[in-house]
Amino acid sequence: MVRSCEQGIPAWVAVGTVLFLIHSVTVRGAALKQEVALDSGATVLNHSMSMVQRMESLLALGNSSDVTLRVQTINTDEVKVIQAHSLVLTLQSEVFEELLLSRNNSYVLLRETPDCAAVFDKFIRYLYCGDISVRLDQAVSLHKLASKYRVWGLQQGLTQYMTQHLSSDSPTGHVIGWYNYALQMGDMVLRDSCLQYLSWNLSSVLQSAEWSSISEDLLFSLLQRSDLILQSELELYEALETWISQNQPVSSTVESALKAVRYGMIPPHHLFRLQKQSPLMQKHYESIRDLLYLAFQFHSASPIQLAKFFDVNCSIFTPRNYLSTSWGSPWVINNPTRDDRSFSFQTQLGPSGHDSSKRVTWNALFSPRWLPLSARSTYTELGALQPTRTDGGRPRIIVTPATSSPDFAGVSFQKTVIVMARQQGKIVVRHVYNFHQSTEEAGDFLVDADLQRRASEYLIDSSLYLHIVIKPLYHTLLVARK
């Protein structure tokens, strides 16, 4: 009989004892923690690393193995053989439990795709040791195995790993591939994280090699969104031209994609140029002629006049989050916990060509410790205005126009504050906050940010990197004429 090298007892007994202890700790974890909390004089002796090393050695040597896993790569003769232990497999995976109960031989034949077969050793080691090293190119394969064998802790851990590594560099890109995989697997957390990353960092995605691999479904999901962050609508049109040129979709797909472009957000001189110089627009001009005509009307008339005849609450008149200087300004706040900061910038009154010469000056105030109105007392007993900043307050940002104007009639301004961060060495969008009218009372602004900590994920080199975008939204004044 094979014996444990350190304890001098049968190896299967050692394995059973170890796994029983692991299972007991897992099931009774809350009770154990409560017991430790109650017994303040207790000292915890932690030898878990030694236990993990013994389990890893048990797998590597195959001591007292009672089942052989034959992992065959689909459509090949390649077979990987792993000596394993039924107790470990059934404890970690209900799928393995079913397979082992129904087997007729001392081995179990598993058929896996080439990518999953390549990382199967890693997967099995996780079942023994509870830790795993992951690379970007292995994440999907390991996630597939965790899902197939219902190892939920590993599956959730890999989903978290993938959501945290969307900005990592890879030779051909990985976010679009992960999105397609998440859609296929029904992993809504990963799908939504990928879609948000693509929407918030679209400019960099448009310039990457990954853009040409985007699926039609994902393309239309992005085109319908108003929260896309990019330089301009013209940038999106030109990227769409590239995608169509490289993928050659059917005409109906091309026309649907072209109809999703918000031509009212493209300045008239660029629209004229596209009509003359864009082969794509010339080829499909008839399908978007009405949209272009409406865009030129939008640019030639005042928003008030336009709102009398058209429903301006539609997507063609709704801006996305454009980073060009006509729509807002970046703002870097050094040492953001120190004191209040103010900043002024100008934007075009609206995207309409009619308003191209009109500017609005905006005043922005950032306070690291602002007290909400609901917590203030307006006047003290002596009648003096009470200070609005306290150490117990939270970060606030207020963005207001420096002056009012009759030109504001029929227009409301949505303010979008974009917070940048460095992830895996790359500058990406960390969070987006939208304010419609009063920006002061938006209670979630930086609510989770620890600005005191130098290594805060909201800071870049101890500074807060913001970009303020002003989005004019038009309102229909009268019912459109029939």
Side-chain angles (χ1 to χ4, degrees), residues 358-379:
K358 301 174 183 177
R359 294 288 183 270
V360 179
T361 300
W362 298 90
N363 293 327
L365 171 66
F366 171 82
S367 176
R369 293 173 299 277
W370 190 267
L371 192 64
L373 284 173
S374 58
R376 301 181 198 170
S377 298
T378 308
Y379 291 95

Side-chain angles (χ1 to χ4, degrees), residues 377-387:
S377 298
T378 308
Y379 291 95
T380 65
E381 293 180 358
L382 298 178
L385 184 64
Q386 187 180 30

Side-chain angles (χ1 to χ4, degrees), residues 297-414:
Q297 286 182 305
F298 170 68
H299 285 301
S300 61
S302 72
I304 293 179
Q305 288 299 317
L306 192 74
K308 293 178 180 179
F309 298 93
F310 296 97
D311 178 11
V312 294
N313 297 315
C314 57
S315 63
I316 191 173
F317 303 120
T318 303
R320 310 184 203 263
N321 291 323
Y322 304 121
L323 299 178
S324 62
T325 55
S326 297
W327 296 86
S329 175
W331 187 14
V332 179
I333 303 175
N334 299 317
N335 300 317
T337 61
R338 192 180 65 195
D339 50 29
D340 293 357
R341 314 295 173 86
S342 60
F343 173 65
S344 295
F345 61 98
Q346 285 191 330
T347 63
Q348 188 173 308
L349 174 63
S352 168
H354 181 272
D355 295 328
S356 60
S357 61
K358 301 174 183 177
R359 294 288 183 270
V360 179
T361 300
W362 298 90
N363 293 327
L365 171 66
F366 171 82
S367 176
R369 293 173 299 277
W370 190 267
L371 192 64
L373 284 173
S374 58
R376 301 181 198 170
S377 298
T378 308
Y379 291 95
T380 65
E381 293 180 358
L382 298 178
L385 184 64
Q386 187 180 30
T388 54
R389 288 191 303 114
T390 70
D391 291 337
R394 293 211 315 265
R396 284 289 188 273
I397 189 167
I398 305 174
V399 182
T400 54
T403 58
S404 60
S405 169
D407 294 325
F408 292 2
V411 182
S412 65
F413 297 98
Q414 176 179 299

